[in-house]
Amino acid sequence: MKSTDFIVARNDLQQCKFIETQLPDAAALPDDALLVKVERFAFTANNITYAVLGEQLKYWQLFPAPENFGNVPVWGFGEVIGSRNPGIAIGERLFGYFPMASHLVIEAADVSKRGLRDAAAHRQGVAPVYNAYARVSGDPAFAGRQGDYQALLRPLFMLSFLVDDYLAENDLFGARSVLLSSASSKTAFGLAHLLHTLRKPVRVIGLTSAGNTAFVEKLGCYDEVVTYDRVTSLPADSPVAYVDMAGNGALRETLHRHFGDRMKYSGRIGLTHHDASGVEGNLPGAKPSWFFAPDQIRKRAKEWGPGGVDVRFGAAWSGFAPKLDQWLTVTEGRGPDAVSQVYLDTLNGRVPPDQGHILSLAE
C-alpha cells in the first residue's frame, strides 16, 4: 500500500509537490502499530506558522520527508484501517496531529479509554500534545460540522485559552488595554472573546488591515478596531499589553516607540505576516518575548491536577463554540489539487478571515 504525501521545500515554502511513500500492509505492521487513513484535516494560517518554525520547534521531525522537504502538520481525523494493538479496533476514529497525507502509521502506546500516544522514536522530543490522539468514535462533539470546528479551532482556541490564562495570572501586567494584531485570525478572535467576556473592564483593541475591518467589527468581541496605518492614533497615556499574532517586526517597532514605557507586555504568538521585517534590537517598553504554550500547559497541569486543564478548557470552549456558526463558513476541498491550492492561498494571504478550510487528499 502507498500513501500520498504533500510536501514543501523547507527553504522555500512556495515550492510544493506530491510524493508516494510505501506503507506496510496491515498484516505486516509491527506489534501495537496502527495503520490510519487520514479522513479530513483543517488548514489555517497556524499551519503556516508550523512550517515557518519547522526547524526551530522540531515540527519537521514529526512526519519525515525527503531531504530538504517537510510535511506540514495538521489537525484532523483518521480512521484505523489496520491494527496490531489489542486495545484499538479497526474502524475506530482518532482526532489529533496528522501529516498532510492519505495515511499514517502510528506506534500506539499508553492506550486508554480516552486516547493513545504515538511512541515512534522520531516523534519524541516535542510537546506531548503533538503525539496524543483522542478516541472520538461516536462522540457528537467531534462529528459533522462540530467536528470540523474542533479541527479548525480547538488547537487555536487552546492557544487563546492559554494566553488568556497567562495574562490573567499576571494581572494583565497592569495593562488597561490589550492590543491584538492580526485581529481577524482565529487565535486572535478566540483570545478577544475570552478577554472581552472574562477580563472586563480591560479594553480589547483589534489591529487589522483595511480589508478585514468589517469582519473584525462584526465579531463583536473587540471594543475598538484600528487599521495598521492608524495605530499611532491610539492614546498612549495608559498602560497596554500587546499580543502579536502577526509577527510583523515593523508594526511591533511602531507600537513600542508609540507607547514607550507604557508597553507593559509584548508577547509574540504567531507569524501571519511571516514575510514582514523590522528592527529587532532594543525597543522601549517591555522586551518582546515568545509565548510558548506547552510551557503554560505543563505548569497548569501540575497546579490544577489531573483533568484540570481539560475541565477549564471545556468550559471556555462551550462558551465559544456556539458563536462559530455566525462567524465562519466552512469550505470543504477534496483531492490533491484542492490541497495544494488551499496551501498556497493560505501561505500567500488569500484566504478570507471568515472562511475555514477542511481538506482531504482522497478524491
Side-chain angles (χ1 to χ4, degrees):
M1 181 180 289
K2 291 185 177 181
S3 172
T4 300
D5 292 39
F6 177 77
I7 60 174
V8 304
R10 296 187 186 191
N11 61 356
D12 181 5
L13 297 179
Q14 300 287 345
Q15 302 301 314
C16 53
K17 63 181 181 179
F18 291 91
I19 61 170
E20 289 191 337
T21 58
Q22 191 67 42
L23 293 167
D25 291 332
L29 289 168
D31 289 348
D32 292 322
L34 311 173
L35 178 59
V36 180
K37 179 182 179 181
V38 183
E39 288 181 332
R40 54 205 285 117
F41 55 85
F43 199 86
T44 72
N46 190 52
N47 300 100
I48 301 300
T49 299
Y50 292 152
V52 172
L53 299 178
E55 210 76 59
Q56 185 179 339
L57 297 183
K58 302 181 181 179
Y59 293 123
W60 291 137
Q61 78 180 48
L62 292 167
F63 306 114
E67 188 175 3
N68 300 320
F69 283 84
N71 195 315
V72 182
V74 290
W75 293 92
F77 296 92
E79 179 190 355
V80 177
I81 60 172
S83 175
R84 292 290 306 280
N85 189 296
I88 304 291
I90 290 174
E92 277 223 41
R93 196 163 182 252
L94 304 177
F95 174 78
Y97 222 32
F98 286 98
M100 296 179 74
S102 60
H103 297 81
L104 174 67
V105 174
I106 292 175
E107 297 181 25
D110 300 337
V111 176
S112 70
K113 289 183 179 180
R114 296 181 62 186
L116 57 94
R117 172 177 70 86
D118 190 343
H122 64 268
R123 293 189 64 168
Q124 308 317 303
V126 298
V129 66
Y130 297 130
N131 289 331
Y133 291 86
R135 302 172 72 176
V136 298
S137 299
D139 186 339
F142 288 88
R145 185 60 75 223
Q146 291 306 309
D148 292 341
Y149 288 149
Q150 295 274 9
L152 281 164
L153 284 150
R154 186 182 182 90
L156 302 179
F157 191 66
M158 176 60 82
L159 178 54
S160 306
F161 169 80
L162 293 169
V163 175
D164 171 74
D165 176 62
Y166 177 74
L167 291 173
E169 180 185 25
N170 289 280
D171 296 320
L172 298 170
F173 296 88
R176 295 181 187 174
S177 299
V178 179
L179 313 176
L180 280 66
S181 64
S182 198
S184 64
S185 70
K186 296 171 180 63
T187 307
F189 67 67
L191 175 57
H193 160 79
L194 292 170
L195 291 168
H196 189 76
T197 305
L198 304 175
R199 310 301 168 202
K200 290 181 177 178
V202 69
R203 285 178 58 77
V204 186
I205 301 173
L207 311 180
T208 191
S209 64
N212 288 336
T213 299
F215 171 74
V216 176
E217 289 177 341
K218 186 182 72 172
L219 292 169
C221 51
Y222 292 99
D223 296 298
E224 186 176 356
V225 179
V226 180
T227 54
Y228 292 126
D229 60 344
R230 295 190 62 251
V231 295
T232 54
S233 69
L234 288 165
D237 56 354
S238 65
V240 300
Y242 177 42
V243 180
D244 180 13
M245 306 287 181
N248 184 321
L251 174 63
R252 187 183 314 116
E253 181 187 3
T254 297
L255 289 168
H256 273 261
R257 298 201 182 285
H258 178 63
F259 287 100
D261 291 342
R262 290 183 175 83
M263 177 70 75
K264 300 300 183 183
Y265 172 73
S266 181
R268 302 181 65 180
I269 312 296
L271 291 167
T272 57
H273 297 183
H274 58 88
D275 55 349
S277 61
V279 176
E280 292 300 331
N282 293 324
L283 294 172
K287 183 179 179 181
S289 59
W290 279 102
F291 175 82
F292 192 52
D295 288 345
Q296 186 71 6
I297 206 167
R298 275 192 288 264
K299 177 179 182 292
R300 286 311 200 186
K302 183 177 180 181
E303 294 172 349
W304 293 342
V309 172
D310 289 341
V311 168
R312 288 166 174 81
F313 175 78
W317 176 263
S318 67
F320 178 65
K323 299 179 179 293
L324 298 178
D325 281 336
Q326 310 162 39
W327 290 350
L328 287 180
T329 299
V330 177
T331 301
E332 298 188 41
R334 302 185 67 85
D337 289 347
V339 169
S340 59
Q341 188 64 58
V342 168
Y343 167 77
L344 289 170
D345 284 347
T346 307
L347 177 65
N348 293 298
R350 295 193 293 259
V351 176
D354 61 347
Q355 197 169 85
H357 283 288
I358 298 291
L359 301 171
S360 171
L361 274 168
E363 296 282 5

